[in-house]
Amino acid sequence: MRWLYILPLRLRSLFRRAEVDADLEDELRSHLDHRIAHEIAAGRTPAEARQAARGALFGIAQRKEQCRDARRTAWFDDTVRDIRYALRALKRTPGFTIAACSALALGIGANTAVFSVVNAILLRPLPFHDPHRLVLIFDSFQQQGIERGPASMADFLDWRARARSFQSIEGFSNGSITITGQGDAQQIASQRVTSGFFDALAIRPILGRTFSAGDDHPGAAPTLVISERLWLRLFSADPAISGKTVAVNGQPHTILGVMPSSFPLASAQTEAWAPLTLTPPTRRGPFFIRGVARLKPGVSIEQAAAEMNTIAALVEQANPKDYIRLRFPLQSIPEAIVGDIRQLLLILAGAVMLVLLIAVSNVANLLLARATARQREIGIRLSIGASRGRLIRQFMTESLLLSFTGGAAGVLLAYWGVAALRTIGPSLPRKSEIVVDANTLAFTLAISILSALLFGLFPALAASNSRCGENLKDGARAGESRTHGRLRAILVVAQITLSVFLLIGAGLLIRSFNLLGRVDTGFHAPPSSVLTVLVTPIGTRYPNRDAVAAYWRQLLLRIQALPGVEAATVAVTIPPNRVAYTDGYQIEGKPAPPGTEYPAVPCPVVGADYLKTLGIPLLRGRFFDSRDRGGERDVTVISETMARMHFPGENPIGRRLKHGHSSLNNPYMEIIGVVGDVKYQGLEGETPPVYYEYAGSGYSSVMWLLVRAKGDASALLPSVRAEIRAVDPAIPIARAGTMAEALSESVALPRFRSLLMTVFATVALLLAAIGIYGVVAYSVTQRTQEIGVRMALGASGANVLQLVVGQGGRLALIGVVLGLIGAAAVTKVMKKLLFQIEPADTTTFAAAAVVLGTVALAASLLPALRAARINPVVALRNE
């Protein structure tokens, strides 16, 4: 308990120093007076007594320092002095200070920004209770190439009836709703969920309540839960929103509550939840539900997966015509939310760590050069008794000040970077949670301290070496020792090696992105001339398919009459990745092998002029036309891949196929044409076989309107909006834009990762160039006399140029070779991020070597030219 008495004294010594010093002065003066009196009493004169008393107390000043040391405040005084001295020293060399802080700001800022993303997506706990016990449940149709697909209502009810590994099983499906009566009609991304969905996730609303038991039963009153974002945007944050009624798809729905904006299981666009009505199924399809369940305590995900596969086998056994090799796979919710983005984030984190290491190497090089320039100062301090440890502490104080200053500037850069990411970055999971928070600032502080240790310790040890005093004794000029020179060269080689890693990584992603941009989409219409708008005629005015078909026919007639319109049509599915419908198929006379089914493929339902509007080439037969509008016979057009796959060496025209598998009683459709392949599953995806169905009278209530213009299609958007409003002002318009914008959106993530890696590689290249320049330029300064002697003995400017450039070239060559060897192993982790290119791509490796070699030579050339212009007379005179 002794510390309870000592602690107040320590704190008083630190924070009330003037008062403590005054008390100490009084106390020592009292001792001195008492000693003087004692000496006088012993027979000494006052002068002799005072001198004897001072000698007995060994001096007042020394006693003060001993007392301060006894109170352990000397370290605080020394630290304050170190900080003041470091500030003065850094102020005297503004060029060095700015260069070092700038390099650290780039490295620490990049790490802070990327850590903000990693922290939000990978590290921050999900807003669910015990999220690792939450799993998603899917259907897997291996024969159709679907690993995790939606389930049917019948599957979902079987899960609930048979599974025993879960506390509860709930379901959800993604879709959209139309809200009217709140200004313009708006289409809202939504989810339909079972009544216990929010309870299973243990998510509470910020206002009102969520669904209760029975809300998902047939005949229940329509209800709605909205997001915080929709509450703010459409309802002006009305605190009395619970219980109010809003028109959804033309029917009144009661708003029950408001969910927080951070809801990772929904997409970033989801703004409303409605009950998923548990209507008893009459067949195994359609497939649209995904399950979410909470494991019982003590049940592992592996045990639950085994049980679900057993249930799948029983379901398949009971329905052999509907399923082949059925499984019900599970996926933990944390894994599902992060998805494939984990690898990208880890690669980016590794990239910015390389940038930081390059920055640290750069600053260490600057510190070594600065230590060489300060050898006389160091020698003086060592000669008057300063210990090596005291010098190391002083240099580390300077390093910490540099690192903290760079870290503070890095935080500002990170704030800007995170804001830019949230504005222009692609759709990332938990994107709204990416912020520079307390955890991020703690990370910044940690890497600032670590950086100071990395770049400050070795220069401090080298600078404080006792041999530094020999130069002072000998009166020699301060010069760089061989050890310093080697260490600086090693640091430059390390910078170049790490820069090669980043250059090759960026080069691979850039080449991959360029190859992706050159992928043939399959349609020949200029992307900027095609306008796409998602239109949803839903509500009481459209109670059946005939009413929906009449709406589309009227709208298309009006759109086609607009000036500047070449063609207009509709489709349920459009390229490059807006696939709304996939299904299997069966070819008449060509059944799938026993025990298998043909895979589910895109089967766009399209209007008459769809193929012409997009400029999809006709290879054989004909397009849909007026002969097909009566609906007397069902027809289809197939893609080149499907024709090649199923009709090699024969004419498919006149043959028949039907959608769905063989057990369904769907009508066969006659093949009337073969068209070129089109990318419907993303530019990076494979090109599957496709069959097109003619909409005829079977127009969907959710379709894409496609308008081909004679020029820039975006100029037609106001006119198209006006025509849609003229037909029915209650119809919402969503996702309006050109096909060029759709293509750009589809490659947003590859473009984003290429951009980031390019920025990191550029920063690394700049820092490496500065490092090479610094080493070569300093070497020229140190070797001025040597160069003067060489020139006096007959060396030409070209010889000197070759000598100096050769020094930088050797460092660059060693670094490039080491970098290429290391990159050959490191880039293998990027394989999944690349498109049509191998991680060991020779062209990229060669380009990186050439770029870095060129930069190294350019960085060496400037000091080499200065060396070549040295006047030997002046150089020798200054020796």
Side-chain angles (χ1 to χ4, degrees):
M1 299 298 288
R2 185 170 175 267
W3 64 271
L4 289 176
Y5 302 99
I6 296 176
L7 181 60
L9 298 177
R10 298 285 184 266
L11 294 176
R12 183 169 179 265
S13 298
L14 288 175
F15 299 107
R16 303 184 69 176
R17 299 176 60 82
E19 182 180 325
V20 170
D21 284 345
D23 290 346
L24 182 59
E25 181 77 26
D26 291 342
E27 184 176 352
L28 289 175
R29 183 63 60 186
S30 174
H31 281 291
L32 181 63
D33 292 342
H34 180 76
R35 185 71 182 184
I36 290 172
H38 175 75
E39 295 292 341
I40 290 174
R44 295 178 183 266
T45 66
E48 293 173 341
R50 179 175 295 277
Q51 185 176 1
R54 285 185 177 276
L57 291 176
F58 300 105
I60 298 296
Q62 290 86 343
R63 288 293 185 180
K64 284 183 181 179
E65 291 303 319
Q66 291 174 2
C67 290
R68 289 193 184 103
D69 289 343
R71 297 182 181 201
R72 298 180 184 177
T73 62
W75 64 269
F76 184 80
D77 296 333
D78 289 343
T79 301
V80 171
R81 282 194 290 268
D82 286 344
I83 293 174
R84 288 175 178 170
Y85 185 84
L87 289 173
R88 289 195 300 271
L90 295 176
K91 187 178 179 180
R92 284 196 301 268
T93 54
F96 161 80
T97 304
I98 293 173
C101 290
S102 297
L104 290 170
L106 289 173
I108 295 174
N111 274 269
T112 302
V114 171
F115 179 81
S116 299
V117 181
V118 172
N119 180 50
I121 298 177
L122 300 183
L123 303 180
R124 184 176 296 142
L126 291 167
F128 307 130
H129 172 66
D130 204 358
H132 293 282
R133 287 175 51 210
L134 288 170
V135 296
L136 297 179
I137 312 176
F138 306 91
D139 270 20
S140 173
F141 304 96
Q142 292 182 329
Q143 289 298 313
Q144 297 185 15
I146 301 175
E147 186 61 29
R148 293 193 183 102
S152 67
M153 179 64 72
D155 295 334
F156 175 74
L157 294 179
D158 280 337
W159 298 343
R160 279 193 163 183
R162 303 187 183 194
R164 298 292 178 268
S165 298
F166 309 102
Q167 289 181 341
S168 63
I169 299 178
E170 305 299 331
F172 67 97
S173 66
N174 298 321
S176 62
I177 59 174
T178 299
I179 293 181
T180 54
Q182 304 293 320
D184 291 340
Q186 297 198 31
Q187 187 177 53
I188 305 298
S190 66
Q191 287 184 333
R192 293 196 173 273
V193 301
T194 53
S195 60
F197 176 78
F198 294 108
D199 290 337
L201 298 176
I203 293 280
R204 296 291 175 261
I206 61 175
L207 200 64
R209 66 175 181 87
T210 58
F211 304 119
S212 58
D215 283 341
D216 54 5
H217 291 177
T223 52
L224 190 71
V225 173
I226 62 175
S227 72
E228 183 180 8
R229 187 169 58 251
L230 184 64
W231 176 55
L232 295 171
R233 177 168 57 85
L234 205 59
F235 300 98
S236 302
D238 181 4
I241 190 67
S242 298
K244 290 194 174 181
T245 301
V246 64
V248 176
N249 297 339
Q251 295 185 345
H253 283 58
T254 302
I255 296 177
L256 300 179
V258 179
M259 295 302 296
S261 57
S262 176
F263 191 75
L265 197 56
S267 71
Q269 291 76 36
T270 301
E271 293 186 314
W273 293 264
L276 175 63
T277 304
L278 299 178
T279 305
T282 57
R283 60 189 181 96
R284 297 308 297 189
F287 299 87
F288 64 98
I289 302 175
R290 286 175 171 80
V292 57
R294 183 174 290 277
L295 294 169
K296 287 182 177 178
V299 176
S300 69
I301 191 171
E302 291 77 16
Q303 293 172 320
E307 182 190 33
M308 293 305 293
N309 284 331
T310 300
I311 295 172
L314 295 175
V315 170
E316 180 180 340
Q317 184 179 359
N319 303 275
K321 295 183 178 180
D322 297 295
Y323 299 111
I324 297 174
R325 298 184 184 179
L326 176 67
R327 292 190 306 112
F328 295 144
L330 306 182
Q331 184 182 28
S332 72
I333 279 189
E335 179 187 348
I337 291 173
V338 174
D340 295 335
I341 205 71
R342 180 188 299 275
Q343 185 186 24
L344 173 60
L345 293 181
L346 294 179
I347 289 175
L348 290 179
V352 294
M353 192 56 67
L354 292 181
V355 172
L356 180 62
L357 289 175
I358 294 170
V360 164
S361 300
N362 206 296
V363 176
N365 236 329
L366 291 173
L367 284 173
L368 281 171
R370 188 165 180 263
T372 301
R374 296 172 67 182
Q375 282 184 4
R376 187 170 184 82
E377 170 201 337
I378 294 168
I380 292 173
R381 296 182 69 179
L382 287 170
S383 66
I384 61 176
S387 67
R388 191 181 183 196
R390 189 70 184 80
L391 287 177
I392 291 174
R393 188 168 121 180
Q394 173 63 55
F395 293 139
M396 288 307 300
T397 301
E398 294 181 19
S399 297
L400 284 170
L401 282 176
L402 284 174
S403 191
F404 288 156
T405 304
V411 169
L412 296 179
L413 290 177
Y415 270 109
W416 176 83
V418 168
L421 169 65
R422 295 182 61 177
T423 302
I424 64 175
S427 179
L428 296 172
R430 309 182 72 180
K431 184 176 178 179
S432 62
E433 299 178 49
I434 300 175
V435 294
V436 179
D437 58 6
N439 289 338
T440 307
L441 295 177
F443 170 81
T444 304
L445 177 62
I447 63 171
S448 297
I449 295 173
L450 179 62
S451 299
L453 292 174
L454 288 175
F455 71 71
L457 188 57
F458 288 114
L461 291 172
S464 62
N465 193 303
S466 61
R467 288 176 299 177
C468 294
E470 295 175 5
N471 290 332
L472 180 64
K473 295 175 185 177
D474 298 336
R477 289 174 58 95
E480 183 171 58
S481 68
R482 184 171 297 179
T483 301
H484 282 203
R486 288 175 179 172
L487 185 54
R488 296 188 69 208
I490 290 172
L491 288 172
V492 169
V493 169
Q495 291 180 52
I496 296 172
T497 302
L498 298 178
S499 298
V500 171
F501 289 179
L502 288 172
L503 273 178
I504 290 177
L508 289 172
L509 291 177
I510 291 171
R511 287 205 67 205
S512 179
F513 179 69
N514 288 336
L515 290 172
L516 187 62
R518 291 200 291 266
V519 168
D520 184 9
T521 60
F523 60 88
H524 294 168
S528 61
S529 70
V530 179
L531 181 69
T532 63
V533 184
L534 188 62
V535 184
T536 312
I538 295 176
T540 56
R541 291 186 57 183
Y542 309 99
N544 52 49
R545 298 180 67 179
D546 291 338
V548 173
Y551 169 84
W552 283 117
R553 284 193 291 269
Q554 182 182 3
L555 178 61
L556 286 174
L557 286 174
R558 298 179 69 104
I559 298 295
Q560 289 166 351
L562 289 173
V565 172
E566 285 190 351
T569 187
V570 292
V572 171
T573 295
I574 63 173
N577 58 354
R578 294 171 179 177
V579 178
Y581 189 50
T582 62
D583 205 346
Y585 57 93
Q586 186 70 35
I587 299 176
E588 187 179 37
K590 290 181 177 288
T596 65
E597 289 287 347
Y598 288 128
V601 299
C603 45
V605 179
V606 301
D609 296 326
Y610 172 81
L611 300 169
K612 292 180 182 178
T613 300
L614 283 182
I616 300 173
L618 179 66
L619 305 180
R620 184 175 291 183
R622 66 178 178 85
F623 289 134
F624 300 117
D625 59 28
S626 58
R627 286 170 285 180
D628 309 312
R629 294 178 182 174
E632 296 178 359
R633 60 175 180 165
D634 294 309
V635 294
T636 185
V637 173
I638 66 173
S639 69
E640 182 182 9
T641 294
M642 179 170 279
R644 187 171 55 249
M645 182 182 297
H646 298 299
F647 303 101
E650 57 182 303
N651 186 1
I653 304 301
R655 304 295 294 270
R656 300 200 305 168
L657 65 80
K658 66 177 180 178
H659 68 79
H661 51 72
S662 57
S663 65
L664 297 177
N665 295 322
N666 294 325
Y668 277 100
M669 301 177 290
E670 180 183 343
I671 299 173
I672 62 170
V674 179
V675 297
D677 291 324
V678 178
K679 288 285 187 179
Y680 284 103
Q681 296 182 334
L683 299 180
E684 293 180 278
E686 299 294 330
T687 304
V690 175
Y691 61 95
Y692 297 86
E693 295 185 56
Y694 178 54
S697 60
Y699 288 97
S700 170
S701 57
V702 180
M703 298 191 83
W704 290 93
L705 171 66
L706 292 89
V707 183
R708 181 167 176 173
K710 296 177 181 178
D712 184 8
S714 59
L716 284 176
L717 183 56
S719 301
V720 170
R721 286 181 181 274
E723 294 301 327
I724 296 173
R725 293 280 183 261
V727 175
D728 187 348
I731 298 300
I733 301 171
R735 303 182 70 179
T738 64
M739 188 62 74
E741 293 169 345
L743 290 172
S744 178
E745 179 185 332
S746 71
V747 295
L749 186 58
R751 180 172 57 247
F752 171 73
R753 64 196 183 207
S754 301
L755 175 63
L756 281 187
M757 284 295 290
T758 301
V759 170
F760 298 153
T762 302
V763 171
L765 193 63
L766 176 63
L767 292 174
I770 293 172
I772 295 171
Y773 173 83
V775 166
V776 176
Y778 194 81
S779 175
V780 168
T781 301
Q782 295 296 312
R783 299 172 66 183
T784 299
Q785 287 78 25
E786 174 196 339
I787 294 171
V789 171
R790 288 175 178 269
M791 298 184 74
L793 294 176
S796 65
N799 297 137
V800 173
L801 199 67
Q802 182 179 1
L803 173 69
V804 177
V805 171
Q807 179 187 5
R810 284 191 296 274
L811 296 177
L813 180 62
I814 296 171
V816 168
V817 170
L818 292 176
L820 292 175
I821 294 172
V826 172
T827 52
K828 291 179 181 179
V829 302
M830 300 178 63
K831 186 173 181 61
K832 289 185 178 180
L833 303 182
L834 303 179
F835 176 73
Q836 294 183 353
I837 191 172
E838 291 299 319
D841 179 62
T842 306
T843 302
T844 304
F845 275 58
V850 170
V851 168
L852 227 162
T854 303
V855 170
L857 290 176
S860 304
L861 192 58
L862 291 176
L865 290 173
R866 189 171 68 247
R869 291 195 294 267
I870 289 176
N871 187 330
V873 175
V874 176
L876 294 173
R877 186 181 299 150
N878 294 332
E879 185 175 4

